[in-house]
Amino acid sequence: MTGFKTLKEKAIAFDRANVDTDQIIPKQFLKRIEKTGFGQYLFYEWRYMADGSLNPTFELNQDKNQHASILIANENFGCGSSREHAPWALLDYGFKVILAPSFADIFHQNCLKNGVLPIALPKEQIVQLLEKGKQQPYQLEVNLEKQTIGDETGFQVSFEIDAYWKTMLMNGWDEIEITLQLADHITEYEQALR
């Protein structure tokens, strides 16, 4: 995974509530076991028409919303089943940060474990950001080290994150990489048992 301390990127509005994991990545695309290649199927039922062409009215298909790394969503983002493929698809598409008033608990944990930073902010702040995100171009700066979010218009808020996940995301580590950092100690212990 790729870590970051500060991310200053395009942020787009995705003003939808109760977006479930089946809408994020539909079940027919869960046959793969790799963590990559899912971005093309992100929001599939909304992004594509029945004939396979892009839906021009869908937010992510509009030219002004291309190449964004920050998704501003509405409440209860990631509800539904616990599929880990949902954060895989978001990350593979290019999203590194998701802002919303609330997230489903399992989805929130799956994001953190897979290098996506989910940040819950009060509803009134999300409403402001959604309006700003509809006016492109719009950039946000997410400073993970200082735990702040700001823009060039003076918007500035702080957010909470567990110290463990903050360290993991800043360094681009997953739980396997944490274990591998102890490989010498594990080997030493295993040899002592022989």
XYZ file of all heavy atoms in Angstrom, residues 40-137:
790
model
N -12.698 -0.589 -12.271
C -13.543 -0.509 -13.461
C -14.995 -0.888 -13.170
O -15.894 -0.554 -13.942
C -12.970 -1.401 -14.561
C -12.912 -2.870 -14.174
C -12.180 -3.716 -15.190
O -12.337 -3.500 -16.386
N -11.383 -4.664 -14.735
N -15.219 -1.589 -12.045
C -16.571 -2.021 -11.692
C -17.198 -1.176 -10.582
O -18.325 -1.443 -10.167
C -16.557 -3.488 -11.260
C -15.879 -4.395 -12.246
C -14.760 -5.139 -11.889
C -16.339 -4.493 -13.561
C -14.127 -5.965 -12.803
C -15.706 -5.313 -14.479
C -14.603 -6.051 -14.097
O -13.975 -6.860 -15.002
N -16.476 -0.165 -10.108
C -16.982 0.682 -9.025
C -18.295 1.341 -9.440
O -18.388 1.908 -10.522
C -15.940 1.755 -8.686
C -16.316 2.733 -7.579
C -16.367 2.024 -6.226
C -15.329 3.889 -7.529
N -19.308 1.248 -8.579
C -20.635 1.836 -8.834
C -21.182 1.401 -10.193
O -21.806 2.184 -10.916
C -20.582 3.366 -8.741
C -20.092 3.887 -7.421
C -19.012 4.758 -7.371
C -20.703 3.527 -6.235
C -18.548 5.253 -6.168
C -20.247 4.014 -5.013
C -19.166 4.889 -4.981
N -20.946 0.177 -10.557
C -21.219 -0.333 -11.903
C -22.648 -0.067 -12.380
O -22.861 0.381 -13.508
C -20.923 -1.834 -11.959
C -20.949 -2.404 -13.350
C -19.839 -2.323 -14.173
C -22.097 -3.011 -13.857
C -19.849 -2.836 -15.460
C -22.125 -3.528 -15.142
C -21.000 -3.432 -15.936
O -21.023 -3.927 -17.212
N -23.623 -0.357 -11.518
C -25.033 -0.223 -11.926
C -25.403 1.236 -12.197
O -26.337 1.503 -12.962
C -25.968 -0.814 -10.862
C -25.706 -2.272 -10.525
C -25.937 -3.211 -11.705
O -26.769 -2.896 -12.579
O -25.286 -4.267 -11.753
N -24.704 2.179 -11.583
C -24.955 3.603 -11.803
C -24.089 4.166 -12.924
O -24.514 5.051 -13.651
C -24.699 4.403 -10.525
C -25.662 4.133 -9.416
C -26.974 3.758 -9.537
C -25.402 4.223 -8.013
N -27.535 3.612 -8.295
C -26.598 3.896 -7.332
C -24.277 4.558 -7.257
C -26.706 3.902 -5.955
C -24.392 4.562 -5.872
C -25.587 4.225 -5.235
N -22.877 3.665 -13.060
C -21.937 4.217 -14.045
C -22.259 3.836 -15.479
O -21.911 4.556 -16.409
C -20.506 3.747 -13.732
C -19.838 4.592 -12.684
C -18.470 4.082 -12.325
N -17.523 4.109 -13.426
C -16.452 3.340 -13.471
N -16.195 2.461 -12.500
N -15.613 3.423 -14.474
N -22.883 2.671 -15.666
C -23.090 2.151 -17.015
C -24.573 1.992 -17.350
O -25.381 1.661 -16.489
C -22.384 0.800 -17.175
C -20.887 0.903 -17.011
C -20.286 0.621 -15.787
C -20.084 1.320 -18.064
C -18.905 0.740 -15.616
C -18.707 1.445 -17.913
C -18.130 1.152 -16.680
O -16.768 1.282 -16.519
N -24.871 2.199 -18.604
C -26.221 1.976 -19.120
C -26.372 0.474 -19.422
O -25.383 -0.256 -19.404
C -26.440 2.789 -20.401
C -26.140 4.263 -20.259
S -27.278 5.117 -19.173
C -28.640 5.400 -20.274
N -27.585 0.060 -19.738
C -27.847 -1.357 -20.030
C -27.030 -1.869 -21.207
O -26.663 -3.043 -21.253
C -29.339 -1.567 -20.296
N -26.706 -0.979 -22.161
C -25.930 -1.395 -23.333
C -24.415 -1.366 -23.088
O -23.624 -1.614 -23.990
C -26.281 -0.533 -24.550
C -25.882 0.932 -24.387
O -25.315 1.308 -23.332
O -26.154 1.715 -25.319
N -23.996 -1.042 -21.856
C -22.577 -1.021 -21.519
C -21.902 0.331 -21.705
O -20.737 0.496 -21.340
N -22.617 1.295 -22.240
C -22.039 2.638 -22.407
C -22.104 3.403 -21.080
O -22.891 3.066 -20.189
C -22.779 3.409 -23.501
O -24.135 3.604 -23.128
N -21.261 4.422 -20.968
C -21.241 5.228 -19.750
C -22.527 6.024 -19.603
O -23.043 6.579 -20.587
C -20.047 6.184 -19.755
C -18.670 5.562 -19.581
C -17.585 6.617 -19.750
C -18.537 4.885 -18.226
N -23.026 6.101 -18.390
C -24.202 6.906 -18.076
C -23.741 8.357 -17.912
O -23.055 8.675 -16.938
C -24.845 6.397 -16.791
C -26.017 7.233 -16.342
O -26.338 8.262 -16.932
N -26.666 6.799 -15.280
N -24.088 9.252 -18.818
C -23.567 10.619 -18.763
C -24.070 11.426 -17.579
O -23.473 12.448 -17.225
C -24.035 11.232 -20.089
C -25.212 10.419 -20.502
C -24.978 9.040 -19.957
N -25.135 10.988 -16.935
C -25.668 11.741 -15.796
C -25.022 11.348 -14.470
O -25.202 12.033 -13.468
C -27.194 11.561 -15.673
O -27.484 10.184 -15.386
C -27.893 11.986 -16.962
N -24.278 10.250 -14.456
C -23.673 9.790 -13.208
C -22.475 10.656 -12.849
O -21.649 10.985 -13.705
C -23.271 8.316 -13.324
C -22.707 7.755 -12.054
C -23.477 7.695 -10.912
C -21.394 7.317 -12.002
C -22.959 7.186 -9.727
C -20.865 6.814 -10.827
C -21.649 6.750 -9.693
N -22.360 11.001 -11.568
C -21.345 11.936 -11.077
C -19.927 11.595 -11.532
O -19.189 12.457 -12.007
C -21.352 12.003 -9.543
C -22.625 12.520 -8.931
C -23.603 11.429 -8.543
O -23.783 10.466 -9.314
O -24.198 11.540 -7.456
N -19.522 10.358 -11.379
C -18.143 9.977 -11.689
C -17.837 10.017 -13.183
O -16.677 10.063 -13.572
C -17.817 8.587 -11.147
C -17.231 8.542 -9.737
C -18.180 9.108 -8.704
C -16.820 7.144 -9.367
N -18.863 9.990 -14.015
C -18.652 10.007 -15.465
C -18.530 11.412 -16.041
O -18.163 11.567 -17.202
C -19.792 9.268 -16.176
C -19.778 7.784 -15.874
O -18.762 7.235 -15.457
N -20.907 7.137 -16.072
N -18.848 12.416 -15.269
C -18.779 13.791 -15.770
C -17.333 14.254 -15.835
O -16.551 14.001 -14.920
C -19.633 14.698 -14.894
C -21.108 14.331 -14.967
C -21.964 15.008 -13.922
O -21.512 15.879 -13.201
N -23.215 14.590 -13.847
N -16.978 14.940 -16.905
C -15.599 15.388 -17.125
C -15.036 16.158 -15.936
O -13.888 15.960 -15.555
C -15.505 16.263 -18.380
C -15.646 15.452 -19.663
O -15.472 14.215 -19.604
O -15.934 16.050 -20.703
N -15.839 17.018 -15.340
C -15.358 17.848 -14.237
C -14.965 17.019 -13.008
O -14.216 17.485 -12.155
C -16.410 18.892 -13.848
C -17.672 18.292 -13.236
C -18.669 19.349 -12.832
C -19.881 18.718 -12.140
N -20.810 19.724 -11.653
N -15.463 15.800 -12.909
C -15.205 14.963 -11.733
C -14.140 13.893 -11.951
O -13.940 13.030 -11.104
C -16.500 14.297 -11.265
C -17.464 15.292 -10.658
O -17.059 16.307 -10.107
N -18.750 15.018 -10.763
N -13.460 13.945 -13.078
C -12.434 12.934 -13.366
C -11.191 13.165 -12.500
O -10.874 14.294 -12.143
C -12.052 12.974 -14.838
C -13.199 12.629 -15.772
C -13.771 11.252 -15.529
O -13.055 10.253 -15.563
N -15.063 11.188 -15.257
N -10.506 12.091 -12.183
C -9.211 12.104 -11.491
C -9.283 12.674 -10.076
O -8.368 13.367 -9.641
C -8.161 12.847 -12.321
C -8.124 12.408 -13.750
N -7.716 11.141 -14.120
C -8.487 13.046 -14.880
C -7.815 11.026 -15.435
N -8.279 12.156 -15.916
N -10.341 12.372 -9.367
C -10.463 12.807 -7.969
C -9.910 11.728 -7.049
O -9.993 10.537 -7.341
C -11.923 13.092 -7.625
N -9.349 12.164 -5.935
C -8.834 11.237 -4.923
C -9.638 11.273 -3.632
O -9.439 10.458 -2.747
C -7.381 11.572 -4.596
O -6.576 11.400 -5.721
N -10.526 12.277 -3.529
C -11.313 12.462 -2.307
C -12.788 12.439 -2.680
O -13.233 13.203 -3.550
C -10.946 13.784 -1.607
C -9.447 13.805 -1.272
C -11.790 13.990 -0.353
C -8.915 15.153 -0.831
N -13.543 11.559 -2.041
C -14.977 11.417 -2.293
C -15.738 11.963 -1.094
O -15.505 11.533 0.035
C -15.323 9.939 -2.511
C -16.746 9.618 -2.937
C -16.996 10.093 -4.367
C -17.015 8.121 -2.838
N -16.627 12.918 -1.347
C -17.469 13.487 -0.286
C -18.848 12.860 -0.436
O -19.544 13.107 -1.428
C -17.563 15.018 -0.408
C -16.178 15.647 -0.481
C -18.356 15.588 0.772
C -16.167 17.074 -1.008
N -19.230 12.034 0.510
C -20.477 11.289 0.431
C -21.429 11.699 1.550
O -21.110 12.569 2.358
C -20.186 9.794 0.492
N -22.562 11.040 1.600
C -23.541 11.337 2.638
C -23.597 10.209 3.657
O -22.783 9.296 3.620
C -24.908 11.625 2.003
C -25.562 12.852 2.606
O -25.613 12.985 3.817
N -26.055 13.745 1.768
N -24.562 10.266 4.567
C -24.554 9.374 5.728
C -24.697 7.898 5.363
O -25.226 7.545 4.331
C -25.640 9.754 6.745
C -27.056 9.662 6.250
C -27.563 11.002 5.745
O -26.839 12.005 5.843
O -28.670 11.024 5.217
N -24.168 7.090 6.290
C -24.266 5.629 6.233
C -23.597 5.055 4.990
O -24.091 4.103 4.388
C -25.734 5.192 6.335
C -25.873 3.754 6.783
O -25.003 3.207 7.458
N -26.972 3.135 6.417
N -22.468 5.605 4.612
C -21.745 5.125 3.435
C -21.119 3.769 3.744
O -20.520 3.572 4.791
C -20.657 6.125 3.030
C -20.047 5.843 1.689
C -20.672 6.284 0.538
C -18.870 5.125 1.575
C -20.122 6.024 -0.715
C -18.312 4.862 0.332
C -18.944 5.313 -0.819
N -21.281 2.821 2.837
C -20.701 1.492 3.005
C -21.549 0.541 3.821
O -21.037 -0.450 4.354
N -22.852 0.809 3.920
C -23.728 -0.102 4.662
C -23.910 -1.387 3.854
O -23.386 -1.525 2.758
C -25.066 0.570 4.952
S -25.944 1.160 3.480
N -24.636 -2.320 4.407
C -24.880 -3.575 3.701
C -23.908 -4.662 4.106
O -23.452 -4.701 5.243
N -23.557 -5.523 3.172
C -22.707 -6.669 3.486
C -21.270 -6.223 3.780
O -20.876 -5.107 3.476
C -22.723 -7.675 2.332
O -22.111 -7.110 1.196
N -20.504 -7.135 4.322
C -19.164 -6.796 4.810
C -18.063 -6.999 3.771
O -16.907 -7.132 4.131
C -18.855 -7.629 6.051
O -18.890 -9.002 5.726
N -18.390 -7.011 2.507
C -17.396 -7.328 1.474
C -16.211 -6.363 1.477
O -16.375 -5.160 1.398
C -18.042 -7.412 0.101
C -18.624 -6.134 -0.407
C -19.405 -6.359 -1.674
N -20.567 -7.190 -1.402
C -21.580 -7.335 -2.224
N -21.597 -6.715 -3.374
N -22.596 -8.101 -1.922
N -15.026 -6.943 1.555
C -13.788 -6.164 1.536
C -13.488 -5.613 0.147
O -12.685 -4.698 -0.016
C -12.634 -7.046 2.023
C -11.423 -6.285 2.453
C -10.418 -7.158 3.190
O -10.644 -8.381 3.319
O -9.401 -6.610 3.629
N -14.162 -6.152 -0.845
C -13.963 -5.693 -2.217
C -14.360 -4.231 -2.396
O -13.881 -3.571 -3.318
C -14.779 -6.558 -3.183
C -14.411 -8.005 -3.153
N -14.710 -8.830 -2.084
C -13.774 -8.785 -4.053
C -14.276 -10.043 -2.338
N -13.701 -10.050 -3.525
N -15.245 -3.709 -1.540
C -15.702 -2.321 -1.671
C -14.538 -1.334 -1.531
O -14.335 -0.504 -2.423
C -16.821 -2.022 -0.684
N -13.745 -1.386 -0.457
C -12.595 -0.483 -0.418
C -11.555 -0.793 -1.493
O -10.875 0.118 -1.973
C -12.019 -0.644 0.991
C -12.680 -1.810 1.586
C -13.932 -2.068 0.828
N -11.424 -2.052 -1.893
C -10.502 -2.384 -2.987
C -10.905 -1.630 -4.251
O -10.065 -1.085 -4.954
C -10.513 -3.874 -3.280
C -9.980 -4.764 -2.202
C -9.380 -4.404 -1.027
C -10.008 -6.191 -2.210
N -9.038 -5.514 -0.313
C -9.411 -6.631 -1.005
C -10.478 -7.145 -3.106
C -9.271 -7.975 -0.687
C -10.351 -8.490 -2.784
C -9.746 -8.893 -1.583
N -12.216 -1.608 -4.545
C -12.706 -0.941 -5.752
C -12.507 0.572 -5.662
O -12.090 1.208 -6.631
C -14.178 -1.269 -5.976
N -12.806 1.149 -4.505
C -12.623 2.593 -4.328
C -11.160 2.986 -4.503
O -10.849 3.948 -5.201
C -13.132 3.016 -2.940
C -14.656 3.011 -2.794
C -15.054 2.913 -1.334
C -15.257 4.253 -3.441
N -10.271 2.234 -3.892
C -8.838 2.530 -3.982
C -8.320 2.314 -5.405
O -7.567 3.135 -5.927
C -8.061 1.665 -2.986
C -6.578 1.995 -2.819
C -6.377 3.418 -2.314
C -5.929 1.006 -1.855
N -8.741 1.235 -6.027
C -8.296 0.946 -7.385
C -8.775 2.012 -8.376
O -8.091 2.324 -9.345
C -8.786 -0.440 -7.818
C -8.099 -0.925 -9.079
O -6.865 -1.099 -9.047
O -8.797 -1.125 -10.096
N -9.926 2.583 -8.111
C -10.441 3.661 -8.956
C -9.638 4.949 -8.754
O -9.540 5.774 -9.658
C -11.922 3.907 -8.655
C -12.567 4.886 -9.588
C -13.056 4.477 -10.821
C -12.686 6.234 -9.245
C -13.647 5.390 -11.696
C -13.272 7.147 -10.114
C -13.751 6.716 -11.326
O -14.329 7.623 -12.196
N -9.081 5.117 -7.554
C -8.270 6.302 -7.287
C -8.618 7.058 -6.020
O -7.946 8.032 -5.664
N -9.659 6.624 -5.295
C -10.045 7.320 -4.068
C -9.177 6.870 -2.896
O -9.048 5.674 -2.627
C -11.521 7.090 -3.747
C -12.440 7.760 -4.717
C -13.263 7.013 -5.549
C -12.477 9.142 -4.828
C -14.101 7.626 -6.462
C -13.315 9.769 -5.740
C -14.126 9.005 -6.555
N -8.595 7.835 -2.210
C -7.751 7.557 -1.047
C -8.406 8.004 0.245
O -8.052 7.536 1.323
C -6.399 8.251 -1.213
C -5.619 7.765 -2.406
C -4.358 8.566 -2.611
C -3.673 8.119 -3.890
N -2.606 9.022 -4.293
N -9.358 8.957 0.130
C -10.048 9.503 1.297
C -11.535 9.565 0.984
O -11.926 9.973 -0.107
C -9.526 10.915 1.647
C -10.322 11.524 2.796
C -8.040 10.887 1.982
N -12.353 9.176 1.964
C -13.809 9.306 1.848
C -14.296 10.096 3.056
O -13.976 9.744 4.202
C -14.514 7.940 1.810
C -13.949 7.086 0.686
C -16.015 8.122 1.632
C -14.359 5.650 0.754
N -15.048 11.140 2.799
C -15.632 11.963 3.853
C -17.134 11.731 3.862
O -17.777 11.735 2.810
C -15.358 13.442 3.595
C -13.910 13.851 3.336
C -13.829 15.318 2.947
C -13.057 13.577 4.552
N -17.699 11.516 5.045
C -19.139 11.305 5.171
C -19.534 11.570 6.625
O -18.678 11.537 7.521
C -19.509 9.878 4.772
N -20.819 11.801 6.882
C -21.252 11.976 8.267
C -21.149 10.685 9.078
O -20.936 10.719 10.284
C -22.710 12.419 8.154
C -22.904 12.833 6.739
C -21.896 12.071 5.931
N -21.300 9.537 8.388
C -21.211 8.248 9.090
C -20.909 7.140 8.098
O -21.178 7.267 6.896
C -22.529 7.943 9.828
O -23.612 7.911 8.916
N -20.328 6.076 8.636
C -19.968 4.896 7.845
C -20.485 3.654 8.559
O -20.574 3.621 9.791
C -18.445 4.757 7.732
C -17.771 5.876 7.001
C -17.263 6.967 7.691
C -17.626 5.837 5.623
C -16.635 8.007 7.024
C -16.997 6.865 4.942
C -16.497 7.954 5.645
N -20.757 2.618 7.790
C -21.026 1.320 8.404
C -19.739 0.850 9.070
O -18.644 1.039 8.524
C -21.481 0.323 7.346
N -19.853 0.263 10.257
C -18.667 -0.094 11.061
C -17.698 -1.018 10.320
O -16.497 -0.782 10.314
C -19.085 -0.746 12.373
C -19.705 0.236 13.342
O -19.505 1.463 13.162
O -20.408 -0.205 14.269
N -18.208 -2.094 9.732
C -17.320 -3.059 9.071
C -16.661 -2.422 7.857
O -15.467 -2.607 7.620
C -18.081 -4.352 8.695
C -18.533 -5.074 9.968
C -17.217 -5.267 7.845
C -19.433 -6.262 9.732
N -17.408 -1.640 7.097
C -16.837 -0.951 5.946
C -15.727 0.000 6.399
O -14.659 0.067 5.784
C -17.925 -0.180 5.196
C -17.390 0.683 4.095
C -17.052 0.128 2.870
C -17.198 2.048 4.281
C -16.542 0.918 1.853
C -16.685 2.842 3.277
C -16.359 2.282 2.059
N -15.961 0.718 7.473
C -14.964 1.646 8.019
C -13.664 0.903 8.331
O -12.573 1.339 7.939
C -15.534 2.313 9.277
C -14.667 3.367 9.861
N -13.712 3.087 10.818
C -14.598 4.698 9.629
C -13.100 4.209 11.141
N -13.611 5.203 10.439
N -13.770 -0.232 9.003
C -12.588 -1.033 9.341
C -11.908 -1.589 8.093
O -10.688 -1.594 7.986
C -12.957 -2.178 10.279
C -13.160 -1.759 11.719
C -11.913 -1.125 12.317
O -11.886 0.066 12.593
N -10.863 -1.888 12.512
N -12.705 -2.051 7.139
C -12.139 -2.583 5.893
C -11.380 -1.506 5.123
O -10.351 -1.790 4.507
C -13.233 -3.198 5.016
C -13.651 -4.572 5.484
O -12.913 -5.248 6.209
N -14.832 -4.997 5.094
N -11.881 -0.285 5.149
C -11.161 0.822 4.495
C -9.797 1.013 5.138
O -8.777 1.063 4.448
C -11.968 2.115 4.598
S -13.315 2.242 3.428
N -9.777 1.125 6.454
C -8.517 1.348 7.169
C -7.517 0.231 6.890
O -6.334 0.485 6.682
C -8.779 1.465 8.672
C -9.556 2.711 9.110
C -9.991 2.564 10.573
C -8.739 3.976 8.911
N -7.988 -0.999 6.861
C -7.104 -2.142 6.632
C -6.549 -2.193 5.211
O -5.574 -2.882 4.956
C -7.852 -3.444 6.914
C -8.135 -3.679 8.379
C -8.902 -4.966 8.592
C -9.168 -5.180 10.071
N -9.845 -6.452 10.310
N -7.191 -1.457 4.299
C -6.799 -1.527 2.891
C -6.283 -0.207 2.326
O -6.180 -0.045 1.118
C -7.980 -2.046 2.062
C -8.206 -3.520 2.307
O -7.456 -4.354 1.823
N -9.208 -3.844 3.103
N -5.950 0.735 3.206
C -5.294 1.960 2.755
C -6.194 3.100 2.328
O -5.733 4.061 1.723
N -7.487 3.018 2.641
C -8.422 4.110 2.361
C -8.744 4.777 3.692
O -9.063 4.098 4.668
C -9.723 3.594 1.702
C -10.708 4.726 1.496
C -9.416 2.896 0.388
N -8.674 6.101 3.738
C -8.948 6.838 4.967
C -10.403 7.305 4.989
O -10.776 8.217 4.248
C -8.008 8.045 5.076
C -8.247 9.007 6.243
C -8.152 8.303 7.588
C -7.263 10.171 6.172
N -11.258 6.683 5.828
C -12.634 7.149 5.976
C -12.697 8.154 7.128
O -12.261 7.864 8.249
C -13.391 5.863 6.332
C -12.377 5.032 7.070
C -11.015 5.437 6.558
N -13.217 9.349 6.858
C -13.286 10.381 7.890
C -14.746 10.770 8.087
O -15.405 11.234 7.154
C -12.467 11.629 7.504
C -10.995 11.256 7.287
C -12.597 12.711 8.571
C -10.145 12.396 6.746
N -15.237 10.585 9.318
C -16.594 11.006 9.663
C -16.544 12.432 10.195
O -15.777 12.729 11.111
C -17.188 10.059 10.702
N -17.343 13.293 9.586
C -17.451 14.690 10.014
C -18.909 14.997 10.319
O -19.817 14.335 9.787
C -16.961 15.627 8.907
C -15.482 15.575 8.540
C -15.211 16.487 7.346
C -14.603 15.966 9.718
N -19.164 16.000 11.153
C -20.553 16.384 11.425
C -21.313 16.709 10.142
O -20.741 17.210 9.167
C -20.406 17.627 12.310
C -19.071 17.474 12.962
C -18.206 16.795 11.937
N -22.600 16.411 10.151
C -23.457 16.576 8.967
C -23.357 17.980 8.373
O -23.259 18.134 7.149
C -24.903 16.243 9.350
C -25.917 16.438 8.256
C -25.837 15.400 7.193
C -26.990 15.559 6.214
N -26.940 14.607 5.134
N -23.347 19.011 9.225
C -23.320 20.374 8.687
C -22.028 20.667 7.931
O -22.028 21.404 6.934
C -23.553 21.426 9.787
C -22.572 21.418 10.930
C -22.929 20.460 12.062
O -23.849 19.630 11.893
O -22.284 20.548 13.124
N -20.938 20.068 8.355
C -19.670 20.246 7.636
C -19.689 19.487 6.307
O -19.184 19.980 5.291
C -18.498 19.807 8.506
C -18.281 20.731 9.691
C -17.222 20.229 10.659
O -16.766 19.084 10.580
N -16.842 21.084 11.590
N -20.265 18.304 6.306
C -20.386 17.535 5.059
C -21.277 18.273 4.066
O -20.980 18.321 2.868
C -20.916 16.110 5.336
C -19.871 15.280 6.071
C -21.368 15.425 4.041
C -18.613 14.971 5.278
N -22.367 18.893 4.552
C -23.246 19.661 3.662
C -22.454 20.780 2.984
O -22.572 20.988 1.773
C -24.460 20.219 4.440
C -25.223 21.250 3.616
C -25.381 19.081 4.849
N -21.618 21.473 3.746
C -20.763 22.525 3.173
C -19.832 21.944 2.112
O -19.682 22.512 1.026
C -19.908 23.177 4.265
C -20.639 24.073 5.229
C -19.662 24.614 6.276
O -18.593 25.108 5.943
N -20.032 24.496 7.534
N -19.191 20.830 2.461
C -18.240 20.219 1.531
C -18.914 19.688 0.271
O -18.356 19.770 -0.822
C -17.459 19.108 2.235
C -16.455 19.577 3.282
C -15.883 18.394 4.053
C -15.329 20.381 2.634
N -20.124 19.151 0.415
C -20.858 18.669 -0.760
C -21.134 19.819 -1.724
O -20.984 19.672 -2.944
C -22.165 17.993 -0.343
C -22.036 16.577 0.217
C -23.334 16.138 0.881
C -21.624 15.583 -0.860
N -21.526 20.961 -1.195
C -21.775 22.126 -2.050
C -20.497 22.582 -2.744
O -20.500 22.895 -3.929
C -22.396 23.267 -1.239
C -23.834 23.032 -0.879
C -24.710 22.652 -2.074
O -24.693 23.385 -3.093
O -25.393 21.618 -2.004
N -19.394 22.604 -2.002
C -18.105 23.005 -2.578
C -17.653 21.996 -3.632
O -17.124 22.359 -4.676
C -17.046 23.133 -1.475
C -17.263 24.312 -0.540
C -16.291 24.231 0.643
C -16.451 25.360 1.618
N -15.655 26.532 1.251
N -17.868 20.712 -3.335
C -17.452 19.655 -4.248
C -18.226 19.616 -5.546
O -17.781 19.038 -6.536
N -19.414 20.233 -5.559
C -20.208 20.307 -6.787
C -19.672 21.386 -7.722
O -19.986 21.398 -8.902
C -21.677 20.574 -6.450
C -22.357 19.387 -5.788
C -23.755 19.734 -5.326
C -24.364 18.569 -4.538
N -25.660 18.917 -3.949
N -18.888 22.301 -7.174
C -18.296 23.389 -7.965
C -16.856 23.013 -8.284
O -15.997 23.097 -7.431
C -18.336 24.708 -7.172
C -19.684 25.058 -6.587
C -20.788 25.141 -7.620
O -20.593 25.730 -8.684
N -21.932 24.548 -7.331
N -16.618 22.572 -9.477
C -15.277 22.127 -9.855
C -14.545 23.205 -10.641
O -15.189 23.963 -11.363
C -15.346 20.831 -10.657
C -15.749 19.625 -9.846
C -14.753 19.302 -8.741
O -13.552 19.501 -8.884
N -15.264 18.815 -7.626
N -13.248 23.338 -10.523
C -12.380 22.451 -9.736
C -12.413 22.797 -8.250
O -12.572 23.951 -7.871
C -10.993 22.739 -10.317
C -11.071 24.141 -10.805
C -12.489 24.346 -11.265
